Structures are given as structure tokens and as C-alpha cells.
Amino acid sequence: MKDQVNQALIEKITKAVMEELAKHQIIGSSEQKTHVPVGISARHLHLQKEHVEPLFGKGYELTKFKDISQPGQYACNEKVTIKGPRGTIENVRVLGPLRKQTQVEIAASDARKLGVSPPVRSSGNLAGSAPITIIGPKGAISLTEGCIIADRHIHMHPNDVAAYGVRDGQKVSVLVDGEKGGVIGQVTIRVSERYALDMHLDTDDANAFGLTGNEWLPIIS
């Protein structure tokens, strides 16, 4: 009897460990995956080549501070001030590499402080977005468009799509447990060979659900 109890306990513990390893993708799993890692994206901007010199000086090149979650992307040492009709926000970090069009990504609370009305958009969808002024150590530029609130999204490599049972562009919901838990809806699946698995939320969403960026959350629909 004792041996049977011990064997049952071993099997239970083994199953729990294997499920946890599969959830964190340390090992493979024959079952559909559900959990994704959370990344919190603070206000930042991407610059096009033509805007680097006006902000930082003639011949200036951005310098790398550290890599971030997506392959080939990194935080730069450079920071700027962004300005709207009602206020400014200092120390906004530049991310690299350079983009085709300068893009400023802020949270809704930032927008209220600045006095701007950016739309919720996917990265790169800037047509008709909000105007904003960027101030660097050597000068300033005023954009007629380029400021957005980034939509909630999950980066996935094509290899992840079948494992999670989703498709590019699909809107899903993600469950959060805890004292400030709830359901995060309207999360866009983005698929590219350039991506690594990561869910991106802005600071407003993260604070609303009590998230720190160290969680793995399940996709529920």
C-alpha cells in the first residue's frame, strides 16, 4: 500500500514538473500551448535616419545600451524630451535600429499629460496619427503625425502559431490571476520570422492588472 502511495505521489510530482517545463517551453509538449511571457513596454520612440542629426548633431550615430526582447532590436543610450500642447515628458528612450518613419509610442496617461490624442495602432501604422514635438540636445523636430498608443500584442515566430492554435492578426484574450486580475482583451497576434515569443503591454495596462513583467499568462480565447 505504501509503495502504491509513493508511486502515485511520484507520478503526480513528475506530471506537475513536466507541465511547468512545457509551459515555459523548456521542453516540448504534445498539447496545445497556452502561456506566453509578459513584457512591459514603457514610453519610447523609433527614429528615421533623417531625424538623428537635427536632434543630436551633425554626423551623430545612435549608440547601443542593451538588447531587448525582439531579435535585432535594442535600447539606445540616447534619450529625448517629447512635447505636446499641454506638457512635456523628459528622458524618453530611443530604440534601434533606425526605422523608415519616426514613431513615438506612449500610454494613455502620457497622452493626457502631453495634451495629445494618439490613436491605438499597431507599430508602423502611422497615417493620421497624432502630431508631437521631439526635443534633443542639439535641436527639435515637430511631427505632423507619428505618435500612437501601441495596441496590446503578442509577438510570435511562425513556429509558435501551430503550437498555440492562433493566426497572424487574430485578436485574443489573456487571463490574469491575482488581486488585480481579470481578462485582457483585444490582444493582437503578430507573426514574423523576425519575432521571438513575447506579449507586449504598455505601462498603463501593466499597472491596471498589477503586472511586473515576470509573468507567464494563458491565452484563453
Side-chain angles (χ1 to χ4, degrees):
M1 182 66 177
K2 184 177 179 180
D3 290 341
Q4 291 177 343
V5 171
N6 287 340
Q7 183 62 33
L9 181 60
I10 291 170
E11 291 177 357
K12 183 177 180 180
I13 293 173
T14 300
K15 181 180 179 181
V17 170
M18 296 297 287
E19 287 177 349
E20 189 69 14
L21 292 174
K23 182 178 75 173
H24 292 281
Q25 301 182 75
I26 297 172
I27 62 171
S29 172
S30 59
E31 298 180 359
Q32 181 173 306
K33 293 180 179 178
T34 56
H35 288 67
V36 293
V38 175
I40 300 172
S41 183
R43 66 180 77 99
H44 63 272
L45 70 154
H46 307 269
L47 291 174
Q48 64 192 69
K49 182 178 180 180
E50 295 80 6
H51 289 161
V52 175
E53 288 191 354
L55 293 171
F56 297 101
K58 186 173 177 60
Y60 193 90
E61 295 185 0
L62 299 176
T63 57
K64 182 178 178 179
F65 171 58
K66 66 176 183 178
D67 291 321
I68 55 178
S69 65
Q70 294 307 300
Q73 297 189 28
Y74 51 90
C76 299
N77 289 299
E78 290 74 20
K79 298 179 182 179
V80 298
T81 296
I82 54 177
K83 183 178 184 297
R86 290 205 301 263
T88 61
I89 298 176
E90 299 178 343
N91 296 316
V92 180
R93 191 176 294 278
V94 179
L95 299 188
L98 297 173
R99 295 278 187 94
K100 292 182 179 180
Q101 184 175 354
T102 293
Q103 174 176 303
V104 179
E105 297 181 38
I106 61 176
S109 56
D110 297 328
R112 289 191 291 272
K113 181 176 181 179
L114 296 170
V116 295
S117 300
V120 177
R121 295 278 185 83
S122 293
S123 180
N125 182 9
L126 303 179
S129 56
I132 197 164
T133 297
I134 303 171
I135 304 169
K138 297 297 184 180
I141 56 173
S142 292
L143 304 178
T144 57
E145 62 181 21
C147 181
I148 64 171
I149 297 172
D151 64 344
R152 303 160 177 165
H153 57 276
I154 301 172
H155 289 286
M156 286 190 177
H157 188 273
N159 293 340
D160 296 318
V161 174
Y164 284 87
V166 295
R167 65 182 184 280
D168 187 36
Q170 182 180 347
K171 298 286 187 179
V172 300
S173 296
V174 174
L175 180 65
V176 183
D177 288 327
E179 294 181 348
K180 300 185 74 175
V183 176
I184 304 177
Q186 296 297 305
V187 184
T188 306
I189 300 295
R190 298 188 194 166
V191 182
S192 171
E193 292 186 350
R194 305 190 311 273
Y195 292 162
L197 184 66
D198 203 21
M199 176 179 177
H200 283 184
L201 300 174
D202 67 22
T203 50
D204 283 1
D205 281 340
N207 289 335
F209 287 91
L211 298 171
T212 63
N214 296 312
E215 300 84 4
W216 282 71
L217 302 178
I219 297 173
I220 59 173
S221 65

